[in-house]
Amino acid sequence: MKIGEASRLSGVSARSLRYYEDEGLIVPGRSGNGYRDYCSSTIDRVHVVRSLLESGLSVRLIKEVLPHLGAGTDDVCAEFLHEVQAYRDRLARRIAGLSAQQEALDAYLDAARQDGRRPGERSVAAT
């Protein structure tokens, strides 16, 4: 299938498909006239790539692990899982920081509302 149909079936733009190819994440075939020719296994690979990218993993990491996914290579899978765990831990720390900021904002809004003012309003001091 041509790139337009591959884009439609995969839910990924033609531009993204070309990017995935440039990065070595997918390897579509080529027809006699040089056009890209996508098969169903390439579309399946696009779905895996897209899922991993949406999870926040880097193209570098995905590129390293793709050839080994499902190949039963324990060392690569263990290393991949370690990197994914490290990414997850960094993400958890960011979430905790954002939650603390949200709690601080909630406390500010509660205090401002109890004071009878809208957030951002200043009290008028007697002159």
Side-chain angles (χ1 to χ4, degrees):
M1 74 189 81
K2 292 183 180 174
I3 197 166
E5 186 176 354
S7 173
R8 184 181 60 77
L9 287 175
S10 67
V12 174
S13 70
R15 181 178 179 191
S16 291
L17 291 172
R18 287 189 291 271
Y19 172 72
Y20 294 173
E21 181 183 2
D22 290 345
E23 291 297 322
L25 301 172
I26 62 171
V27 183
R30 294 283 178 166
S31 60
N33 59 5
Y35 288 170
R36 290 171 179 86
D37 185 23
Y38 296 86
C39 63
S40 60
S41 64
T42 303
I43 300 303
D44 291 342
R45 170 72 58 108
V46 169
H47 287 243
V48 170
V49 168
R50 184 175 179 199
S51 174
L52 293 170
L53 286 170
E54 287 175 351
S55 296
L57 299 179
S58 68
V59 169
R60 177 201 56 83
L61 184 57
I62 295 169
K63 187 175 178 177
E64 287 178 18
V65 77
L66 269 178
H68 307 288
L69 286 179
T73 310
D74 291 338
D75 291 340
V76 173
C77 288
E79 181 181 335
F80 176 70
L81 292 176
H82 176 73
E83 290 204 38
V84 170
Q85 181 67 46
Y87 174 77
R88 186 222 165 272
D89 292 346
R90 287 190 305 274
L91 188 59
R93 286 190 296 274
R94 286 177 33 205
I95 290 169
L98 289 172
S99 292
Q101 289 176 342
Q102 181 182 18
E103 289 172 13
L105 289 171
D106 288 343
Y108 168 76
L109 290 170
D110 288 344
R113 288 182 185 126
Q114 288 175 3
D115 203 18
R117 292 180 279 136
R118 292 185 184 155
E121 276 186 0
R122 295 179 181 224
S123 61
V124 178
T127 55

